[in-house]
Every structure is written in structure tokens, then in C-alpha cells.
Amino acid sequence: MEEDSQALAADALHLKTDVYTSLGFGVLLVKITGFYILDPIVAIMVALLIIKEAWHLTTGAFNFLIDVKLSDEEEAQVIEVIEAHRESFIECHKLKTRKAGNSKHIDFHITVPEEMSVGEAHCIIGMIKKDMNEIVQNTRISIHIEPNSDVMVG
Ligand SMILES: [Zn+2]
């Protein structure tokens, strides 16, 4: 997340540099040529440049906010944790990961024996979440539990 903010800062810096460069060039052009008619033209050009760069910056910023999945590396780590708890449940499905801004989300279902107590299932979830939190920080983990029966599987 730190790299992401740095990328935004770098973009902002890029915008500033571009604008200052054009501004400097424009002023110089007016001074050299004495064509003061160039003044508003340069102003318009700079304004257009700002709009263009701002648009670029804004769409970039939106991309940053749009949900994307965790990196392959992080997903592999998540699967590794699930596998480490493999004997605690029957099977795992619907694994989804999401990254929105600074926060990460991990979502999946596990199937447990129908007769397992709520307390026991809750304990399994707790252990998986604890291990997962150690490898992926700043993450919201949601584990859906379902009984190993043909009814109500979703
Ligand atoms: Zn399910």
C-alpha cells in the first residue's frame, strides 16, 4: 500500500514538473518573440495540459480504488494456510480475494460434518484466521461454514 501511495505522489510530481516546464517555456517564448498574443495561447495550452494530466491522474487514482484480487504470491500463501488446516474440515470452495485501497479481503467457504458443534466450527475458523492474519496484514477474512449435506449448499 505504501508503494501505491508513492506511485500517486510520483504522478502528482510528474504533473507539477510538466506544468512548470510548459509555463517556463511559454514565458520564455513570449519574452524572446515579444509576441504578447502568445501569452493567452500559452495559458490555454497550460490549462489543457493540466486538464489532461489531471484526467490521467484521476483515472489512475480510480484504478487504485477499484477492487482487484490479491497478488498471485499472496493468494498462494492464503491457499497454503488453508491447506495447513486441511484435516479440520471436509473441503474448501469459493475462495475469493479482493484488494480495495488499503484493505484486503479474503473470502471462502468450508464444509464441515453436519453434526459438528457451532463451538467447534467457530474454533476452526478462529485458528485459520489467526494463521492467515500472520501472513497477510490489514486483511478482513470471512469464512462461511456449511454442513456436509446436499441441502443448503451455497
Ligand atoms: Zn459454499
Side-chain angles (χ1 to χ4, degrees):
M1 75 205 221
E2 212 165 281
E3 299 86 60
D4 293 337
S5 330
Q6 276 167 1
L8 278 179
D11 269 358
L13 191 68
H14 176 228
L15 166 66
K16 261 192 207 161
T17 315
D18 268 12
V19 170
Y20 286 147
T21 309
S22 331
L23 212 63
F25 178 71
V27 168
L28 198 71
L29 208 66
V30 171
K31 282 228 153 126
I32 289 171
T33 59
F35 288 153
Y36 285 92
I37 183 71
L38 283 177
D39 212 17
I41 295 172
V42 167
I44 290 165
M45 276 169 58
V46 170
L48 285 175
L49 193 74
I50 292 173
I51 291 165
K52 180 190 153 260
E53 289 287 334
W55 171 258
H56 184 78
L57 205 64
T58 313
T59 48
F62 275 120
N63 274 340
F64 166 78
L65 291 174
I66 287 169
D67 285 3
V68 286
K69 73 177 199 59
L70 296 187
S71 69
D72 289 346
E73 200 182 293
E74 282 171 314
E75 279 201 341
Q77 285 178 313
V78 166
I79 292 166
E80 218 171 279
V81 172
I82 295 172
E83 285 300 317
H85 290 269
R86 196 60 196 83
E87 66 281 9
S88 310
F89 56 87
I90 295 163
E91 61 91 40
C92 167
H93 59 279
K94 280 193 184 167
L95 172 65
K96 275 181 287 182
T97 66
R98 228 150 29 91
K99 190 178 170 227
N102 288 339
S103 62
K104 296 169 183 174
H105 300 256
I106 298 168
D107 198 302
F108 59 94
H109 296 189
I110 60 170
T111 309
V112 296
E114 206 172 3
E115 61 279 5
M116 183 183 274
S117 73
V118 172
E120 208 178 327
H122 182 254
C123 181
I124 291 170
I125 285 180
M127 287 190 296
I128 298 175
K129 279 186 178 177
K130 185 182 156 282
D131 285 358
M132 228 167 244
N133 269 321
E134 275 169 26
I135 54 149
V136 275
Q137 281 82 35
N138 211 0
T139 304
R140 225 176 113 175
I141 303 162
S142 131
I143 308 173
H144 173 80
I145 287 238
E146 55 198 64
N148 181 34
S149 64
D150 291 336
V151 286
M152 297 266 300
V153 173

